[in-house]
Every structure is written in C-alpha cells, then in structure tokens.
Amino acid sequence: MNSTPQYLSLHALETFAAALPVRDENGQPKAFVYGGAERTAISAQARRRAERTHSRHRANRGEGPLASYSSGRRTREWALFTRDALVKNHDWDPDQAIYAAKAALEGLGLKFGEKESTALLTKVLFYAPEDSGDRIADHISTHADTFNTWLTQYTAAKTEAAAKEEAKKNAKKNARKKTTTDADAPTEPATKDSKEDKEEDVKIPALPKELRTGILTAFAPRDAIDITVFGRFLAEVAELRTVDGAAQHSWAFTIAPAEHIDDFYAAADDAKLERRENALDFLDAADNAGAGMTGYQSLISGTFYRHAALDRHKLRVNLRSAGMTEDQAETAAQAAEAEFVQAFVDAVPRAKANSTASTGTLPNLVLAHEGARPYFYAAAFQSHIDETSDGPAALAGAKRLLDHHRLITTKRTDATPGRLLTYDLDIQNLIDQLTAEGTLPAAEAATLEELTA
C-alpha cells in the first residue's frame, strides 16, 4: 500500500424533486427519525445496487476503467445459464442440459426451490462472474465421462428418495382412510407434519474432486472486480469463501425534514377516449366517460446527504485472493477506485425512473478525501436545515458540510483536505467566494476524473 492513506471517503449532497428512488413494501417512501425530525431515506442497498449495475453496464459496453475486466451477476438462475451454454456451445439437448446443470449445482451444495415456478432457481441469490455458466458447461463437457458416471449415481439417489417419499404419502393416506372407516377407533390428536415427514432428504453423491474443483473455480471471483468491491456471502458452499467487500455505504437521508406527497393519478384508456371523441350523440359520449384507471403514488422532494468509503487495503487483498499478482492487483485496484468514484457520482436508483426522470439527477456537491479511517459526516446534519431561516437546503447544506470538513481536517492529522466538485450554480458561486477568501477547505475539481488523485 506504500504511503497512500487506506480509506477514500466520499460525501455527496443530492436533490430530488417529486421522485421516488426507493420505496418500502407498501410503496411508501422510506424514512427514519434523526435529530428529532423525520427524514426521508434512500437505503444503502438501493445505492449499492445502482452503483454496481451502473459500473457493470459501462464495463460491458467497453466503457470506463473496468472495460477490460469481467463483471459479476447476482442471480438465482445459474442452472439456466449453464443449460443455455451446454445447448449453444456443446450441442446438448435442452432437457438433458437443464437436468445436468441442476444436478451439478446440487452436487456442489446449492439447494433449489420447491415450487414448480422456482424448481430451476437456487434458493439463494448467488453473486458470481457473468461467465460462470459458460465455464461450468465447458468443464462438464470436457469431463463428460466422469460427469455421466456421477450423474447416474445422482439419478439413482433421486429416484430412491422419490420412491420413499411416495411410499410415505401412501402410508399416511391409507392410515387416514382406516381412521375414517373405523368410527369406534380412538383417534390420535392431529399434529403438523415435521419437515422430515414432508420431504425425504436426498443424499446426493459427492462430486468427484476434478468436477467439484472445476465448478468451484468457475464461481471464484477471478477478475470480476465488482465482487471484490461489493463483496458476497454464500453459506451453502464452504469452499466458496465469503468475500468481505471493500466498499461501505450509508443510508442517504434528507438534511431538512421529510417532505412527500400522495399524488393522485388517472390513466387514460386510448380506445375509450377515441370512441368518446367520435361519439355521434351525448349518450355514446357519456358511456365512454371516465379514466381507464386511477390510483395514488407517493413522491418525495428534498436534498439528501449520502456517504461511501473504499478500503484500499481490503480491495487489494481481495484482488490478490482472487488470484492476481501484486502488479495485476495494483492496476486493477486503481481502475476499481476510479470506477467506484464515477458510479458514486452518476448512478441513481431507478424506481419510478420513467415517470419522474430521477436518473437524470446530478449531485449538488461531491467531496472526496482520504484518511487512515473512513469519515462519515452525518453528524453535520443532526440539526436539520430549516429552509425558512437557512435558505435553500442544498446551499445551506453545502456551507455546513464544508464547515464540518474544515473542522475535521483541522483537528485530525489523518484526514486530508481532498477535492470537491459541484454541479450546482449557487454552490459554484459559494466555492468561488471561499476560494477568493482563501478559506475553501478542499481543492476544487473541474471534472469528475479529478476528484481523486
């Protein structure tokens, strides 16, 4: 790590107007109380997904610092991806391919859904390189003889378990019939079936070592940089170690009290309106009056403070653990950091994107600085902005954030002044004023790329 500070801390002020970037299970804005006032919130999970997918799409288009690296995909559909690769690349029959793909993943230790709609989906989301399905298919085909021998054992185990389950169901059915016909016989109290009664455990034969190793390698992070940044957890397969991500994200919250509206909307039925417009008398017009559907949606407005930090040391450890040399890890880490900053600035959660244009939002202010530890400036806004006395929240928040940063860098020798970037005209005027006075607590960056060294 040489003398580079371990942590990069990022802070942003960001304003949304009549938007809903994220919502709870009831379709309502997320919120919590802080400093005695209710604040509208955007969860860290929503921000992380927005940034992760933003970077992946850029890389897959050949854009940005990570264009030469692979990306990860978090999904339950790895059996389907493996099937598609077996069919497309190795000319397998689709039915045989899906059976083999699901068997291989069950042999690894992954479990699948029990309903018809989820039978081909793993029970948990699994974050792995996008080409993992292709690699598993290649490995199965390369070791076809070994795999087919194991698959025969797998099929026998599944068949035996199914027979036991069917016998158990028939025994219960017969017992119920006997109880029903024998009215004088004493009955046992009804009890719920235990998990063991409902489902016979299938003892899947162990995958041969060469097959298991190949599938594990296909799922390893390798050069999927986003996995090393954001991390992953999988308890089902011991060898697929948990990756403790290098990135930390806070919940974003409004720096002024929460404001939201319940917006009534009416959707027009085009066919109905056309009949009304062409009606030959008022009765026809009346029959086609009214909206096609109506409803309510909650929308929020406000300026949010949000924070993220990148552990540079952890990032490099993760990259080395994925198999990179020291030089490769250093190059990848620098690319990952540049993309991390870019995604922090540009990515926006996509809920209600088309009806609110929220994804076009740019931060009012971004501050990037380094330190021996991460710095979270939520305390600067524990006392909320009062727009009736403090003025617009974005400008008042920028003043408070810069004052807070000046205080921290004055008192902490392990925090650097850093750089700041604005896309807000009023805040740009504030920066120009502080620059002229010689009191700007960080260097101004003219472009996003200049935010970090």
Side-chain angles (χ1 to χ4, degrees):
M1 281 291 296
N2 56 56
S3 60
T4 304
Q6 181 174 350
Y7 288 92
L8 171 69
S9 288
L10 300 173
H11 312 268
L13 295 175
E14 188 169 55
T15 300
F16 290 99
L20 189 61
V22 66
R23 48 194 163 180
D24 65 16
E25 68 276 13
N26 298 314
Q28 297 297 307
K30 294 191 175 185
F32 59 82
V33 175
Y34 181 55
E38 183 176 331
R39 315 295 184 93
T40 304
I42 299 175
S43 65
Q45 298 94 313
R47 284 294 327 173
R48 288 169 68 87
R49 171 167 172 74
E51 294 174 22
R52 178 172 60 80
T53 55
H54 175 86
S55 294
R56 186 181 78 212
H57 293 156
R58 275 168 45 87
N60 289 346
R61 292 194 303 265
E63 301 173 4
L66 298 182
S68 61
Y69 296 94
S70 67
S71 298
R73 176 185 278 130
R74 188 179 66 183
T75 182
R76 298 172 62 191
E77 298 184 9
W78 290 114
L80 299 176
F81 288 124
T82 303
R83 175 201 64 188
D84 293 344
L86 286 169
V87 172
K88 180 181 178 181
N89 302 333
H90 303 282
D91 298 322
W92 281 49
D93 173 78
D95 291 338
Q96 293 177 337
I98 190 59
Y99 184 78
K102 183 176 177 181
L105 297 185
E106 284 190 323
L108 195 67
L110 294 172
K111 297 183 183 301
F112 285 77
E114 297 168 5
K115 298 179 181 179
E116 183 177 352
S117 60
T118 61
L120 302 180
L121 307 178
T122 56
K123 285 190 173 182
V124 296
L125 287 165
F126 183 31
Y127 193 16
E130 286 185 311
D131 64 350
S132 294
D134 292 334
R135 287 176 175 256
I136 294 171
D138 291 344
H139 191 69
I140 289 175
S141 294
T142 301
H143 299 82
D145 291 340
T146 304
F147 179 76
N148 287 331
T149 299
W150 174 84
L151 191 61
T152 300
Q153 300 170 359
Y154 166 88
T155 301
K158 297 284 280 190
T159 301
E160 181 182 355
K164 289 182 179 179
E165 181 66 19
E166 184 65 23
K168 186 183 297 184
K169 288 180 181 178
N170 290 335
K172 287 183 178 180
K173 187 184 298 184
N174 293 333
R176 283 194 294 269
K177 285 181 179 179
K178 183 178 180 181
T179 302
T180 302
T181 55
D182 189 357
D184 297 329
T187 58
E188 295 290 331
T191 58
K192 292 184 178 180
D193 291 341
S194 67
K195 183 177 180 181
E196 290 75 14
D197 290 334
K198 290 181 179 178
E199 179 180 312
E200 181 73 25
D201 287 336
V202 182
K203 292 181 172 55
I204 304 296
L207 276 169
K209 184 176 180 180
E210 59 182 339
L211 285 174
R212 187 176 185 84
T213 300
I215 298 174
L216 288 170
T217 302
F219 279 138
R222 290 178 277 113
D223 67 340
I225 308 299
D226 50 347
I227 296 178
T228 65
V229 172
F230 293 98
R232 75 175 182 193
F233 174 77
L234 185 71
E236 285 76 7
V237 184
E239 298 98 323
L240 287 173
R241 67 180 184 85
T242 294
V243 179
D244 188 8
Q248 304 173 12
H249 288 75
S250 74
W251 278 49
F253 61 90
T254 50
I255 59 177
E259 294 185 13
H260 74 270
I261 61 169
D262 290 325
D263 172 50
F264 171 80
Y265 65 87
D269 184 318
D270 291 346
K272 195 175 183 180
L273 288 178
E274 288 168 5
R275 286 195 298 272
R276 182 181 180 184
E277 291 170 357
N278 295 300
L280 298 179
D281 60 55
F282 73 94
L283 291 177
D284 286 342
D287 287 341
N288 290 287
M293 62 175 291
T294 61
Y296 286 90
Q297 61 181 354
S298 293
L299 300 175
I300 63 171
S301 295
T303 297
F304 290 74
Y305 165 75
R306 60 183 173 89
H307 159 76
L310 183 68
D311 184 339
R312 291 163 165 162
H313 174 70
K314 184 63 180 173
L315 175 60
R316 285 160 174 79
V317 168
N318 286 350
L319 292 169
R320 292 297 303 278
S321 297
M324 292 189 181
T325 67
E326 185 173 353
D327 289 342
Q328 290 172 334
E330 183 60 33
T331 300
Q334 292 181 23
E337 181 171 324
E339 181 61 34
F340 181 73
V341 175
Q342 202 280 342
F344 178 84
V345 174
D346 281 353
V348 179
R350 297 191 57 83
K352 296 285 185 183
N354 289 352
S355 59
T356 66
S358 59
T359 54
T361 301
L362 285 170
N364 305 91
L365 179 68
V366 182
L367 170 64
H369 66 101
E370 302 166 320
R373 50 155 289 169
Y375 284 93
F376 183 23
Y377 286 173
F381 303 105
Q382 185 172 14
S383 175
H384 67 262
I385 300 292
D386 184 349
E387 293 189 287
T388 60
S389 57
D390 299 331
L395 181 58
K399 293 176 181 177
R400 191 179 293 185
L401 183 64
L402 295 178
D403 285 344
H404 189 82
H405 183 58
R406 182 183 296 109
L407 175 68
I408 297 301
T409 53
T410 299
K411 294 181 176 292
R412 297 284 305 206
T413 59
D414 58 350
T416 63
R419 295 173 175 81
L420 54 86
L421 173 69
T422 184
Y423 295 105
D424 184 291
L425 184 58
D426 289 337
I427 295 175
Q428 182 64 63
N429 292 334
L430 171 65
I431 291 173
D432 293 343
Q433 176 188 338
L434 296 178
T435 300
E437 296 172 356
T439 57
L440 189 67
E444 183 182 4
T447 66
L448 189 159
E449 290 73 20
E450 295 178 11
L451 267 177
T452 57

